[in-house]
Amino acid sequence: MTTVLLTGFEPFAGDATNPSGDAVRRVADHWEGPEQLVTAVLPVEFGGARHRLLELIATHDPDVVIATGLAGGRIGISVERVAINLMDARIPDNAGDQPVDVPSSPDGPAAHFATLPVKAITAAIADAGIPAAVSHSAGTFVCNHAMFTALDVNGSGHRRAGFIHVPFAAEHAPQGQPALPLADITEALRIALRTALDTDVDTSYAAGTIA
Ligand code: PCA
């Protein structure tokens, strides 16, 4: 049985909700398979998120891992291409930890590329009329750390893993911030899972940035 792991995050930085966790719960409510879907909402804690993610991967040995989180201020869905081996927290996490200039994994490589078909996923979401782009930075906070962690345990080879940042949900966005309806964020994550499961070789098209 093919197994997929989809995670979101709890609220952080004083927000009442986190659209990533809300959307993951909705995807779970409507999943029709045939693959087994495992979902979780991770704590916004460097140590706690890593621990929980490693536990989930060890327990379920998923074929596909898509972790998701909020990137407030971004205008669409960001399909992350790279996780860097660095924690540099501008604010404390929900446990009060604020690592600065510390590697995610002291013995790990400088970075890991997502092993998801990031361009096919981005194109499929955009084709559904939902704004989406390939992103080349997942930041240096808990989301980047979670993405790096998921890819750092990718040793078995069969697993595809990566990360998707979502914007604020329109239902809860702070005044003046870009946002998408939670239904669109949910649909984007469903499309991402479907595309990751159904795409053997990623498509290739220019998706870079000049700066
Ligand atoms: N976004 C934060 C951490 C949790 C979340 O949803 C980030 O981008 O690192």
Side-chain angles (χ1 to χ4, degrees):
M1 166 76 98
T2 300
T3 301
V4 281
L5 172 62
L6 177 69
T7 69
F9 274 104
E10 292 175 346
F12 69 108
D15 288 344
T17 63
N18 187 322
S20 66
D22 295 343
V24 162
R25 288 188 199 94
R26 287 192 176 201
V27 172
D29 287 346
H30 296 105
W31 185 254
E32 287 175 352
E35 301 84 4
Q36 185 191 11
L37 174 66
V38 176
T39 59
V41 178
L42 305 176
V44 184
E45 301 171 9
F46 284 96
R50 175 184 164 81
H51 178 80
R52 186 85 181 96
L53 203 46
L54 291 177
E55 198 174 63
L56 286 161
I57 291 171
T59 304
H60 300 285
D61 190 24
D63 301 274
V64 173
V65 178
I66 300 184
T68 72
L70 166 68
R74 293 199 192 174
I75 53 175
I77 304 292
S78 296
V79 184
E80 299 294 348
R81 196 173 194 179
V82 59
I84 59 174
N85 190 0
L86 177 69
M87 298 184 279
D88 189 346
R90 188 169 49 77
I91 57 171
D93 70 12
N94 286 357
D97 286 340
Q98 190 172 5
V100 172
D101 298 347
V102 182
S104 277
S105 169
D107 300 321
H112 281 297
F113 284 112
T115 49
L116 296 174
V118 291
K119 290 187 171 177
I121 289 173
T122 305
I125 295 170
D127 281 351
I130 302 168
V134 174
S135 163
H136 296 88
S137 174
T140 57
F141 194 49
V142 179
C143 288
N144 175 75
H145 181 58
M147 180 178 175
F148 190 91
T149 299
L151 288 160
D152 213 38
V153 289
N154 223 355
S156 57
H158 73 276
R159 184 174 303 123
R160 298 176 111 181
F163 197 95
I164 296 178
H165 264 120
V166 305
F168 283 118
E171 292 86 343
H172 301 287
Q175 192 76 31
Q177 288 288 332
L180 288 176
L182 184 59
D184 285 5
I185 295 173
T186 305
E187 176 63 2
L189 299 189
R190 190 197 64 76
I191 291 170
L193 285 181
R194 196 72 261 153
T195 307
L197 288 162
D198 295 348
T199 308
D200 287 338
V201 180
D202 198 5
T203 45
S204 183
Y205 59 90
T209 54
I210 303 283

